């Protein structure tokens, strides 16, 4: 299949966790799921903008005890049906901007992302990735809602949006060709390509143990899960797809 774009999109999905990559800048969104302090600390140090959604306030407050004053986000958003009023007031007193987003047609994550994109533009920030930590685990409907936000993000920003925890990451690949650099040292052994939003009629890959050659991916038929990397490919995976396609892989936290 010929790429619909003359260019190749270059992504290093785990650059945000690479201690050697000091130049990468992210906008960080903390979601309301269990957090790994190690992952959060690595991301916090690379974040030029830090945001928390509703119940994520409680997660952040509890995991950073007794040093909560060193972990003050720039922005807190949500309808605030989950955040402790005491925790919310603590961050507000420390200078966090608190914005209520009551619209029930969108999730707290989507509403926070909308505001994060606006803040990036207003402040003219250099941001390589928007990283959302605490995106998996817990309720399945919330995990699917987080993945849906990846699809909604396409109309909000051209900056790659990554879902992350201490086990997995996921991002949405746009139609065309993407080169994924997967040699930061933080990648796990497994990876997958999942056609969540609908059938991907044409998918071609290189750099995987089980590559695809202009094949369709769709639920009820073939999807690529429990794949792994071709060690002879020197940490480069290419994916050419006719439709948006979810890339996911394991995360190995030291």
């Amino acid at each position: 299949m010929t790429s619909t774009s003359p260019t190749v999109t270059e992504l290093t999905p785990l650059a945000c966790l690479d201690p050697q990559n000091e130049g990468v800048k992210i906008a960080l969104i903390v979601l309301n799921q269990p957090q790994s302090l190690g992952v959060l600390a690595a991301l916090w140090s690379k974040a030029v903008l830090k945001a928390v959604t509703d119940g994520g306030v409680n997660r952040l407050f509890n995991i950073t005890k007794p040093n909560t004053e060193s972990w003050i986000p720039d922005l807190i958003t949500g309808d605030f049906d989950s955040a402790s009023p005491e925790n919310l007031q603590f961050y507000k007193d420390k200078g966090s901007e608190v914005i209520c987003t009551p619209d029930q047609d969108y999730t707290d994550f989507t509403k926070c992302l909308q505001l994060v994109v606006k803040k990036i533009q207003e402040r003219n920030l250099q941001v390589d990735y928007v990283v959302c930590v605490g995106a998996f685990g817990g309720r399945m409907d919330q995990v699917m809602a987080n993945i849906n936000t990846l699809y909604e993000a396409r109309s909000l920003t051209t900056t790659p949006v990554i879902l992350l925890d201490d086990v997995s990451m996921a991002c949405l690949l746009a139609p065309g060709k993407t080169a994924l650099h997967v040699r930061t040292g933080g990648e796990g052994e497994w990876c997958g390509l999942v056609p969540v939003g609908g059938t991907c009629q044409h998918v071609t890959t290189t750099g995987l143990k089980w590559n695809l050659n202009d094949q369709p991916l769709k639920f009820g038929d073939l999807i690529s899960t429990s794949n792994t990397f071709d060690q002879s490919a020197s940490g480069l995976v290419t994916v050419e797809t006719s439709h948006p396609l979810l890339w996911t892989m394991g995360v190995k936290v030291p």
Side-chain angles (χ1 to χ4, degrees):
M1 180 188 69
T2 302
S3 173
T4 57
S5 170
T7 61
V8 176
T9 300
E10 303 274 346
L11 292 179
T12 306
L14 292 184
C16 57
L17 292 179
D18 183 1
Q20 305 301 318
N21 194 338
E22 297 180 355
V24 69
K25 302 298 181 184
I26 69 169
L28 175 63
I29 298 177
V30 179
L31 302 179
N32 185 18
Q33 290 291 349
Q35 303 288 335
S36 160
L37 185 58
V39 170
L40 189 60
L43 297 173
W44 202 268
S45 67
K46 295 181 183 295
V48 297
L49 180 65
K50 307 173 184 77
V52 182
T53 66
D54 203 346
V57 165
N58 305 329
R59 303 281 186 180
L60 179 65
F61 187 87
N62 291 330
I63 199 174
T64 58
K65 289 179 180 178
N67 300 309
T68 49
E69 292 192 7
S70 299
W71 300 77
I72 306 301
D74 302 293
L75 178 66
I76 298 174
T77 72
D79 54 16
F80 302 130
D81 61 347
S82 302
S84 157
E86 294 78 12
N87 292 343
L88 199 60
Q89 189 62 49
F90 169 82
Y91 288 115
K92 190 173 182 179
D93 290 344
K94 296 299 180 181
S96 297
E97 182 180 4
V98 177
I99 299 177
C100 183
T101 54
D103 188 348
Q104 295 300 304
D105 288 337
Y106 296 96
T107 65
D108 284 335
F109 175 21
T110 298
K111 290 180 287 187
C112 185
L113 179 61
Q114 291 169 340
L115 288 170
V116 164
V117 170
K118 183 179 179 182
K119 294 292 184 184
I120 291 171
Q121 294 169 344
E122 289 176 348
R123 301 180 186 181
N124 196 27
L125 298 175
Q126 176 198 334
V127 172
D128 301 300
Y129 299 94
V130 177
V131 181
C132 311
V133 67
F136 307 113
R139 286 169 44 184
M140 184 61 182
D141 64 332
Q142 292 180 341
V143 174
M144 295 305 296
N146 293 340
I147 292 173
N148 183 61
T149 298
L150 293 182
Y151 283 82
E152 293 177 314
R154 293 183 299 158
S155 65
L156 299 176
T157 180
T158 58
T159 303
V161 179
I162 291 174
L163 305 182
L164 184 69
D165 67 5
D166 59 347
V167 175
S168 308
M169 67 74 54
C171 62
L172 192 64
L173 306 183
K177 189 171 185 178
T178 301
L180 295 155
H181 299 274
V182 291
R183 206 173 189 178
T184 68
E187 294 81 9
E189 295 183 358
W190 63 269
C191 60
L193 291 162
V194 187
V196 179
T199 302
C200 295
Q201 294 290 353
H202 304 278
V203 182
T204 297
T205 67
T206 66
L208 301 177
K209 184 174 182 179
W210 294 286
N211 282 308
L212 299 160
N213 183 18
D214 197 19
Q215 292 170 260
L217 293 180
K218 64 178 179 178
F219 278 97
D221 201 335
L222 176 66
I223 66 173
S224 178
T225 58
S226 298
N227 210 328
T228 190
F229 305 105
D230 179 353
Q231 297 305 313
S232 67
S234 301
L236 179 65
V237 173
T238 68
V239 180
E240 196 165 2
T241 177
S242 57
H243 296 78
L245 182 61
L246 190 77
W247 166 261
T248 183
M249 64 180 176
V251 173
K252 186 170 58 179
V253 179

